[in-house]
Amino acid sequence: MSAVEERAPYDPMPHGPPEVGIGPWEGPWPEGEQYDARLLAEGDRRNVVDRYRYWTVEAIVADLDTRRHDFHVAIENWQHDFNIGTIVRTANAFLAAEVHIVGNRRWNRRGAMVTDRYQHVRHHPDVPALAAYLHERELTLLGIDNLPGSLHLETTTVPRRVCFLFGQEGPGLSEGARTACDGTFSIAQFGSTRSINASSAAAIAMHAWVREHADLSDGAAWRGGS
Ligand SMILES: C[S@@+](CC[C@H](N)C(=O)[O-])C[C@H]1O[C@@H](n2cnc3c(N)ncnc32)[C@H](O)[C@@H]1O
């Protein structure tokens, strides 16, 4: 069997190195509840930063929970939007408090690249239910869409305690969502297309929050794999 055939059936990086991560732990095993005996014995090939090598999923989530940011993200899911997976992955990278899915409970996990295991994902039947959940926790719900009357994300300060809500690929934010939001923000565009992809918009909005509020002092942010 060739090296290509030995790879996982769904390989997101078919032309990259066949394995990421590290092999079995060499020498006496470290002590601590965070370590996973199977990973120590067999190696850790997961797509996680080095800090979490050989850690159990539960230990990683518990550690992330001590550092999560104050922003949440939400997406409407009436048509099984394929952007949700990539939004979850970006939410994990920027350490969102929670991801909210409004509408259908089923969503395509492929783009999440397993990051959903490290992320709190909640479901809500509709946007008013999401808004009620957020308002109870003193979070502002901001719709992100290029609608008439939206404020410019580029020139407005985003609140610290906020949830960004994104619409679906075809219709954008539903009428109900527009009504339930505390405000809407748009991302400036200059070309010919009417809109950008929802997960790209989500990444831009999350990064706007990071630029405004995240702790970028030494050691707080992972810069390329540490
Ligand atoms: C592909 S867009 C749909 C936009 C709408 N149907 C249209 O064509 O005018 C899907 C989602 O991506 C986000 N989005 C795309 N472009 C955006 C922009 N320029 N500003 C803010 N949000 C944007 C919004 O959340 C939107 O609901």
Side-chain angles (χ1 to χ4, degrees), residues 7-210:
R7 300 180 76 146
Y10 167 55
D11 191 332
M13 289 181 276
H15 306 295
E19 284 186 315
V20 296
I22 43 180
W25 184 280
E26 290 175 15
W29 281 9
E31 286 184 16
E33 282 187 353
Q34 72 270 38
Y35 292 111
D36 183 316
R38 191 179 62 79
L39 295 175
L40 289 167
E42 297 176 8
D44 185 352
R45 300 296 177 189
R46 300 171 303 174
N47 183 18
V48 295
V49 293
D50 288 349
R51 171 188 171 104
Y52 294 133
R53 283 284 166 230
Y54 304 112
W55 283 35
T56 65
V57 170
E58 294 73 25
I60 294 173
V61 172
D63 190 64
L64 293 173
D65 284 348
T66 66
R67 304 185 288 110
R68 285 192 194 277
H69 286 142
D70 285 331
F71 76 90
H72 295 224
V73 291
I75 179 146
E76 290 193 278
N77 183 36
W78 306 111
Q79 302 165 346
H80 299 299
D81 199 292
F82 61 82
N83 286 297
I84 296 175
T86 40
I87 291 176
V88 169
R89 183 179 180 182
T90 307
N92 170 275
F94 293 143
L95 203 48
E98 295 178 350
V99 175
H100 304 272
I101 297 174
V102 179
N104 291 315
R105 294 185 69 86
R106 281 167 59 95
W107 57 282
N108 187 336
R109 283 172 166 67
R110 188 164 161 151
M113 302 275 296
V114 199
T115 53
D116 50 314
R117 296 181 71 185
Y118 307 94
Q119 192 62 49
H120 301 295
V121 179
R122 275 180 200 284
H123 294 267
H124 304 269
D126 50 32
V127 182
L130 167 70
Y133 174 89
L134 296 169
H135 290 157
E136 265 174 37
R137 290 158 181 79
E138 296 179 1
L139 286 146
T140 303
L141 177 59
L142 292 182
I144 304 291
D145 211 334
N146 47 355
L147 300 167
S150 289
L151 297 172
H152 293 292
L153 187 67
E154 293 76 12
T155 54
T156 316
T157 303
V158 292
R160 173 178 277 278
R161 293 188 58 76
V162 69
C163 177
F164 299 118
L165 173 62
F166 305 94
Q168 295 190 116
E169 216 28 58
L173 281 179
S174 67
E175 228 17 83
R178 296 174 196 193
T179 311
C181 284
D182 301 313
T184 54
F185 281 53
S186 66
I187 297 162
Q189 295 184 189
F190 304 91
S192 63
T193 184
R194 284 171 53 86
S195 61
I196 56 175
N197 161 279
S199 63
S200 303
I204 291 168
M206 287 187 246
H207 202 255
W209 190 97
V210 163

Side-chain angles (χ1 to χ4, degrees), residues 1-8 18:
M1 189 182 277
S2 75
V4 171
E5 285 165 335
E6 285 167 20
R7 300 180 76 146

